[in-house]
Amino acid sequence: MASFSLPAINDNPDGGWGPSSSNLPPQFKFKDIPYAPYSKTDKLGRFADWNDISGDNRPQNAAQSSGVGPTRGGAGGGRGRRDGQPAFGSGTASAFAYFHVEDESSFSLVDNKTSTVRRGGPMSRGRGGARGGTPWNRGGPNNRGRGGFNAGRGGGQRGGARRGWRDWERSGRTRESSVAISPEWSMLEEIEFHRLAKLRLEVDEPEDLGSYGRVYAWEKSYDRITTKSEQPLQLVDRIKYNTTTSDDPVIQELAAKDTATIYTTDAILSVLMCAPRSVYPWDIVIVREGNKLFLDKRDGGPFDTVTVNENAADPPQDPTTVNPNNPNEKIAVPDTPAINSATSLSLEATYINQNFGFQSVIETQPPAPVDFEKSNPFYGPDETEPLASCGYRYRLFDLGVTEDEDIKICVRTEVDAYSAGQGINPRLGQGLVTIRALNEFDPRSQGAGGAPDWRTKLDAQRGAVVATEMKNNSCKLAKWTVQSVLAGADLMKIGYISRANPRDNTRHVILSTTSTRPTDFAVQLNVSLANGWGIVRTVTDLCMKQPEGKYVLVKDPNKPVLRLYSVPLTAFTGEDDDEDFDGDELETGV
């Protein structure tokens, strides 16, 4: 009778999976063969593909397996590996590759005659040899056309990996949060953007609570500027206030009368209403006092500057900073800051927006400036510098879902000018204008987002320029549109301003100006005010469930997520710094 004996089992004394390096059986014949790690994306369909005539792991075929080789059905590539899908084993080490170096060195080329290459192969524009199968065809490895090795736009596979919708959300860059998250804070809620996109709330026309300030007439000669009659952007010294909600004396008076439940400004509210479009981090400080909510901004936060190409596939970057977890890391810091970095471009865009608004109005009569019901609430008697053209309109919106629900929001909105004409009374909200500016820095630099040259395209192909700006600055344009609609402005003037020299960020010229109605522009941008009001109502309900205190709504710097944190009442007030400063003064005095 046949017998069967179990072989010796060599357990792993280290307690891990697989054989142990210290306890290998003597007859183990794979002892000196290294192990190559594999990626999770590799398809483990078979151990070896004996039918793959091109997968011999040689250097000349490495380009094909890594997705950089011939394009769209090129020879040897096959259509199964298009769209950037990695081939099996493409992410592993080449430890198992065996190259016949000595054998191949003994061979020599006998036939030196160059063969004639047919364009496109036998099947022109077909699957296999056409459009990239030969070096002379469009997209071939030696061609500088679309998708070739030297062509850019993603390498060999005609654009590289396939790009999809909202690819800017999947960028590999790591951004820092707009505010340092303290360990003392506790996270209360987390909301994904895809949930915000489904919200909807219809809001009726608002009620005007009062108007403050003075506005000048729009200079209509700026509507006729072209690239051939460009005008220099001037430095105009004017005062314009951007006070947060809690420091507004008018809002304090309205809150004392229990006029509304929520108090905020149009700049803060527009960021919240356009949150699903945002990429860069931001934060809103929310204070609940009794049954009231105040939405504030931090001094020096992201609300005080204008972003540039935020929604571009490759947005502008800041120089690499030192990793706080690795203080010994050395970063090469340039002597002069780069003018095309994200921070420099943001400051430049803010400077351009302010000065374009100051320059494009008529301060000398006629036409005469229009004074609203009351004077500017932020301009004190001790101020000597002239005020900018700015009018503040405090408006009340009803966010109640039912008639019995009393949830109203008071918003301080801003207008920059008025359009002079017969029968127009700006005091009644007629002919009001908001002024904004788009800026061009260097079409060839990193972060330009594929923008065309404005000086050559703006007059002849304005649609292409506008379409590119709507793609690269979707969030910024949406916020401007929402602010204009909230203010009840009839027109929104957008100036196109470029550098006089691409390497100089201090001198600019006005190339053109366009005029549009905010409601029509919102339709072009696909901005839904009903969705924005639904987001505001949802955030309001989340905050009203919490007890009285201070909270922070933070946009995650790298994910499409909003997080609500509970923070101490002394956060963002600077009381700790003031106490340290007072103590130093006391010691010095003693």
Side-chain angles (χ1 to χ4, degrees), residues 430-476:
Q430 301 173 356
L432 297 177
V433 176
T434 56
I435 304 174
R436 302 292 186 266
L438 293 169
N439 62 299
E440 178 193 38
F441 49 101
D442 188 355
R444 295 169 296 179
S445 69
Q446 186 274 330
D453 186 6
W454 287 5
R455 284 175 171 81
T456 59
K457 303 292 184 181
L458 199 54
D459 291 339
Q461 300 178 9
R462 182 182 294 266
V465 176
V466 174
T468 305
E469 292 301 316
M470 291 172 64
K471 179 190 68 172
N472 294 337
N473 295 288
S474 173
C475 184
K476 178 170 68 175

Side-chain angles (χ1 to χ4, degrees), residues 289-310:
E289 296 179 0
N291 203 29
K292 303 182 185 67
L293 286 179
F294 295 89
L295 307 184
D296 286 311
K297 69 178 183 68
R298 294 183 299 105
D299 292 336
F303 292 95
D304 296 331
T305 55
V306 180
T307 61
V308 176
N309 287 1
E310 177 180 358

Side-chain angles (χ1 to χ4, degrees), residues 326-346:
N326 186 11
N328 297 325
E329 182 181 7
K330 295 182 179 180
I331 302 295
V333 180
D335 297 335
T336 58
I339 62 174
N340 294 330
S341 64
T343 303
S344 299
L345 290 174
S346 181

